[in-house]
Amino acid sequence: METEMECPLRYLQSLLGGKWKMPIVCMLAGGVPLRNATIKRRLGQITSTMLSQTLRELEADGIISRKQFNEVPPHVEYSLTERGKSVVPILAELGTWAMDQMAEQQKTPACGGCTTKC
């Protein structure tokens, strides 16, 4: 019986695929823990439901950590885990590549670029 092999790129896609995961990781790469509302404001068009789901998935995969403060009013902060920090240089390289491609096609990045945050 042959063992099914998993593709590393599909594994990466399962961890960081989708519209919002990489921008959230890049945002948290600054090293400052961020609250839910701050992440939502910086992302712009994400719904609260989608943000919550994405944060839960990133936490379940060990990419981000969630710290809850039991005070009044209660709040939660998110930061990168060591595993999450290990992907930052790779995202910075991808961001640089994407910015180069956008420049070739005369497109202006909509944000400061992942390289400035990662």
Side-chain angles (χ1 to χ4, degrees):
M1 185 166 157
E2 190 175 316
T3 306
E4 185 176 329
M5 298 178 71
E6 187 169 350
C7 173
L9 292 177
R10 286 187 183 172
Y11 175 72
L12 173 64
Q13 188 176 26
S14 73
L15 293 177
L16 296 175
K19 185 174 181 178
W20 303 109
K21 288 183 179 180
M22 283 193 272
I24 290 171
V25 170
C26 195
M27 191 181 301
L28 293 173
V32 177
L34 297 176
R35 296 171 77 164
N36 188 306
T38 303
I39 296 170
K40 185 174 185 334
R41 185 173 51 254
R42 289 185 184 175
L43 289 175
Q45 299 176 358
I46 191 169
T47 64
S48 296
T49 302
M50 180 56 70
L51 177 59
S52 295
Q53 177 183 336
T54 304
L55 291 171
R56 276 194 308 271
E57 289 172 3
L58 287 167
E59 183 183 14
D61 289 332
I63 304 296
I64 65 171
S65 63
R66 178 182 189 274
K67 184 175 182 182
Q68 184 168 338
F69 295 85
N70 294 324
E71 51 191 42
V72 178
H75 72 274
V76 175
E77 291 181 345
Y78 295 92
S79 59
L80 291 179
T81 62
E82 289 304 313
R83 185 177 191 198
K85 290 175 186 175
S86 71
V87 77
V88 170
I90 298 161
L91 291 180
E93 286 295 318
L94 287 171
T96 299
W97 179 85
M99 287 175 56
D100 290 345
Q101 297 301 310
M102 291 173 81
E104 282 183 21
Q105 296 182 11
Q106 300 177 347
K107 294 184 179 186
T108 304
C111 65
C114 204
T115 55
T116 60
K117 295 176 184 137
C118 289

